[in-house]
Amino acid sequence: EAGVVQSPRYKIIEKKQPVAFWCNPISGHNTLYWYRQNLGQGPELLIRYENEEAVDDSQLPKDRFSAERLKGVDSTLKIQPAELGDSAVYLCASSPGLAGGLGTDTQYFGPGTRLTVL
Amino acid sequence: QKEVEQDPGPLSVPEGAIVSLNCTYSNSAFQYFMWYRQYSRKGPELLMYTYSSGNKEDGRFTAQVDKSSKYISLFIRDSQPSDSATYLCAMSVTDKLIFGTGTRLQVFP
């Protein structure tokens, strides 16, 4: 079974440029997460989707970040414009969505996209 | 104060040693406790999952939760060079995970 797929794996851009990351979750997983992991830190949740619906985007900086999950499968995270402080690894994770928000589904992480903003 | 505190290490041990990794937390509502392993340039992978207080063993790994002290541990017995990675504790009330900073472990032959 294929795991969570992310692309690109690495991205280097100049500040103020736009950038987009793509995620394909494990087949059949209803819940999709985007995390940001700064160097030497643990992942921090940016947004969580249940199917097509964003159910927790409280940590997403909405002035420059946007995300979508059309048709409840693939997802795209966009930054426009990028700032120096956005340099980090952006991780996508998915889970079956069986817990209904009452327990904890196992989250399966992709390899991440390492973003460097110059 | 962060909700979850974890010593970043690095921790360097010889092969065969017993490793102890720890996290403390401040939110008494946390019910689910996890340990993830993250190899360099990879995403985290779930290693152990426990609910509430107590011990859970899986091969060379033992996870321990002490809710009265707000303290969780991961023990690795007979450590191997392949165990060299960053170990992240994570905890949640529902399905929003709060991660520690991770402890970098190096097991040398």
Side-chain angles (χ1 to χ4, degrees), chain B residues 11-79:
Chain B
L11 186 61
S12 185
V13 301
E15 183 175 357
I18 296 174
V19 176
S20 172
L21 304 166
N22 311 295
C23 287
T24 58
Y25 62 94
S26 56
N27 187 349
S28 58
F30 286 140
Q31 296 184 67
Y32 304 93
F33 304 92
M34 285 138 280
W35 286 95
Y36 281 80
R37 178 174 60 196
Q38 187 172 25
Y39 290 113
S40 181
R41 310 278 178 178
K42 303 285 187 183
E45 58 176 330
L46 183 64
L47 203 56
M48 298 284 285
Y49 163 64
T50 53
Y51 171 71
S52 197
S53 284
N55 290 2
K56 184 175 182 179
E57 191 172 318
D58 184 1
R60 297 185 294 111
F61 299 90
T62 299
Q64 194 172 75
V65 174
D66 181 347
K67 291 190 76 177
S68 62
S69 302
K70 298 191 181 68
Y71 189 88
I72 69 170
S73 300
L74 177 70
F75 298 96
I76 307 174
R77 289 183 298 280
D78 187 25
S79 56

Side-chain angles (χ1 to χ4, degrees), chain A residues 9-10 33 35 37 40-43 45 48 50 56 58-59 91 101-104 106-107 109-111 114, chain B residues 2 8 31-32 34 36 38 41-46 49 88 92-102:
Chain A
R9 291 295 315 276
Y10 304 91
Y33 312 77
Y35 288 86
Q37 186 173 23
Q41 301 294 316
L45 181 69
R48 175 169 67 98
E50 296 286 348
D56 184 356
S58 57
Q59 301 303 310
L91 293 161
L102 298 178
T104 296
T106 298
Q107 296 185 26
F109 284 81
R114 183 175 297 270
Chain B
K2 289 185 178 180
Q31 296 184 67
Y32 304 93
M34 285 138 280
Y36 281 80
Q38 187 172 25
R41 310 278 178 178
K42 303 285 187 183
E45 58 176 330
L46 183 64
Y49 163 64
L88 297 150
S92 69
V93 177
T94 56
D95 39 359
K96 179 173 181 175
L97 293 182
I98 306 298
F99 284 87
T101 56

